[in-house]
Amino acid sequence: MSVDLKKTSKFLSLILRHKPEVIGIELDNKGWADVSELIDGVNKSGKYFLDMNTLEEIVRTDEKGRYSFSDDMTKIRANQGHSVNVDVNLKKCQPPEYLYHGTAEKYVNSINQQGLIPKGRLYVHLSADVVTAEKVGSRHGKPVIYKVLSGEMYRQGYNFYISANGVWLADFVPANFITIHNY
């Protein structure tokens, strides 16, 4: 049976970040799902075929490093990007002086007024480089890149976290700490 890894991975992202109930599973308070239950649930959904080898390949080859296995590989979770309330043990740390946020042109007015807010997620996602931010922004239309004065925010007491796959996260970013990045 041929498996579309990209589509299956996107489905797993939906399950492990937003809607585990779609396949009848639950995440624990740290965001972990039982691997056997996940595989059974995906297969019962009839949308995709999943076995342990395919799951391992998805985790290993995912370009964004979205997923992690537990040490004994009986549990799996998304590393960040959740809209369901879980604690994935994010590490608070000092960010670089600048971080970047890619978005679409249609959101500029709102962002300029409100700053960067998590919307349906638990955190605002930030990138360490412009190229990554541009890729993210391009998914939603013509990209606009915001430069975040993350070092100054940190010095003023704002918290920053870094996920297991290297995505920087913040609770929110006030408008006075962002400017549109000019190339």
Side-chain angles (χ1 to χ4, degrees), residues 25-41:
I25 67 168
E26 291 183 10
L27 305 179
D28 71 15
N29 63 346
K30 299 291 185 188
W32 294 105
D34 181 272
V35 168
S36 297
E37 291 175 8
L38 176 73
I39 290 170
D40 289 345

Side-chain angles (χ1 to χ4, degrees), residues 93-163:
C93 53
Q94 183 173 350
E97 198 60 30
Y98 304 107
L99 289 168
Y100 301 91
H101 180 81
T103 191
E105 199 172 47
K106 61 186 173 186
Y107 301 119
V108 168
N109 289 337
S110 172
I111 291 171
N112 288 346
Q113 292 174 8
Q114 298 179 3
L116 298 170
I117 57 175
K119 294 225 174 188
R121 293 186 176 179
L122 300 178
Y123 300 97
V124 173
H125 292 207
L126 304 168
S127 303
D129 61 87
V130 174
V131 172
T132 303
E134 189 169 30
K135 284 180 188 174
V136 171
S138 295
R139 292 190 311 219
H140 308 289
K142 184 177 180 197
V144 174
I145 309 305
Y146 280 92
K147 184 177 185 177
V148 177
L149 304 176
S150 45
E152 185 58 32
M153 282 182 66
Y154 181 79
R155 289 187 287 280
Q156 290 191 29
Y158 289 88
N159 291 323
F160 286 85
Y161 313 90
I162 191 158
S163 68

Side-chain angles (χ1 to χ4, degrees), residues 33-54:
D34 181 272
V35 168
S36 297
E37 291 175 8
L38 176 73
I39 290 170
D40 289 345
V42 168
N43 290 332
K44 284 179 185 170
S45 77
K47 293 180 185 275
Y48 302 96
F49 170 77
L50 190 64
D51 61 16
M52 189 62 179
N53 289 335
T54 304

Side-chain angles (χ1 to χ4, degrees), residues 160-176:
F160 286 85
Y161 313 90
I162 191 158
S163 68
N165 61 335
V167 174
W168 284 93
L169 305 165
D171 297 313
F172 70 101
V173 178
N176 59 312

Side-chain angles (χ1 to χ4, degrees), residues 75-95:
K75 296 191 179 290
I76 187 172
R77 72 175 175 194
N79 288 319
Q80 43 61 227
H82 297 85
S83 60
V84 294
N85 193 17
V86 296
D87 174 11
V88 294
N89 296 324
L90 293 172
K91 183 176 134 186
K92 279 186 192 177
C93 53
Q94 183 173 350

